[in-house]
Amino acid sequence: MRHVFFALFLFGLTSFSPSADPIRLRSESLPFTPKEFYIATVTDQRSEQGAIARLALVPNQAVQPVDLERGVASSFQQFINQGLKQNKKLRPIAMRVHQCRISETAKGNRVTGQFTFAVSFELLGKDDSGAETSTRLNDYRGSANYTRPIDQTAVIESTIRQALIASLRSLNEYMNRESGRNEKLAKSLKINFIDDTRITDDDTVHYNPARKLTWADFQAAPRKGSHYAAEVFTSFSYEGKSTVKDGVIILNLSAKAYMLKTSSWGRADTRTAYALNHEQRHFDITKIIVERFKRKMHPDSLTLEDYNSIAQYQFIESYRELNRMQNQYDDETNHSINQAAQERWNQKIDEELRTFGIIK
């Protein structure tokens, strides 16, 4: 008896979709030339990395992931370099890509696509230490819907390319419109100081060389426990307001040295001309510190990006300098008791006031 063995080989038949070619952006010369910027870099900052598209390419089969030929950043940078005139003497701008996504669905041989696109533009620079900085300028968002035959894919590349061009056109319009008036785009800084020398009848005496202190300005009661003949309360402050004109930040600063009447006092039995001069010199020292502060606020000492913080820092440093100089004055004159030292300080103070043009 013969035994016949049959071997049955089953071959699973799997249908393979053709491999989809990556999307290549077609080079195109853009119809505008930037006069304020060039695109220095493009970075891909999408939250969902990977292929930008899910395309329906074969009837009755799942969508396929398809990416730009060189990835988002390199493809966009290449397109920009080829199609946009890049003058590297202008402001360097970074393009940050936050969203670039195509999703398709197919019904028979008709495909519906949805495209979303979001980028931002940042001005690149460097701080005083040489570290790179970036300042957010402008955002662009776009979206599109389309339908296409399943065997025709040209609309995909065209949709991406037109969105990229639209974002660059939007940036160009923004830069042309804002370059002369937006503080973020200013190229230089100018400072105007306004001295507050008003002569008023209220509690505040603003420093004015034509208006010396009188004993009538010392209106507070003597401080309990103090053995001094008098005390004068002086201080200084500044206020600032900035505008931008023709790409220049104009910083208008109002600086004032002042004395408060209701915080200053003098004993009735010591109100002499000599004692009043000692208190006036405290006020003069405050004015000297204001003038020194003004000279620290030179445009070369400030940065366009952080001039306000630098001004605040210089103000605090000047305030500390004021306290040191006032203490030194009282220590060396022994609160006016040392007449020789008082005369030296009188001359020293007048000399510096002349240097600043406060007195002749």
Side-chain angles (χ1 to χ4, degrees), residues 191-249:
I191 301 176
N192 295 325
F193 266 105
I194 303 169
D195 289 323
D196 190 344
T197 58
R198 292 173 293 163
I199 298 177
T200 63
D201 294 326
D202 58 17
D203 180 53
T204 302
V205 179
H206 299 87
Y207 188 94
N208 187 319
R211 200 286 194 196
K212 299 293 186 180
L213 295 179
T214 69
W215 282 119
D217 297 322
F218 293 73
Q219 298 178 0
R223 182 162 53 88
K224 291 182 179 180
S226 174
H227 60 276
Y228 300 129
E231 282 187 358
V232 63
F233 182 95
T234 68
S235 190
F236 79 101
S237 64
Y238 81 97
E239 295 177 352
K241 183 179 181 181
S242 63
T243 59
V244 182
K245 183 178 180 181
D246 299 329
V248 179
I249 297 175

Side-chain angles (χ1 to χ4, degrees), residues 16 39 57 95 108 134 143-144 153 188 210 223 238 242 247 277 281 284 293 312 322 333 346-347 356:
F16 292 94
I39 302 298
L57 300 174
M95 170 186 274
S134 61
S143 62
T153 59
S188 61
R223 182 162 53 88
Y238 81 97
S242 63
N277 173 73
R281 295 305 183 172
D284 292 339
F293 167 71
Q312 288 286 347
L322 172 63
T333 63
N346 291 344
Q347 295 177 12
F356 293 135

Side-chain angles (χ1 to χ4, degrees), residues 53 89 92 135 181 191 247 258 283:
K89 294 181 180 180
T135 303
R181 67 185 188 185
I191 301 176
Y258 62 92
F283 202 8

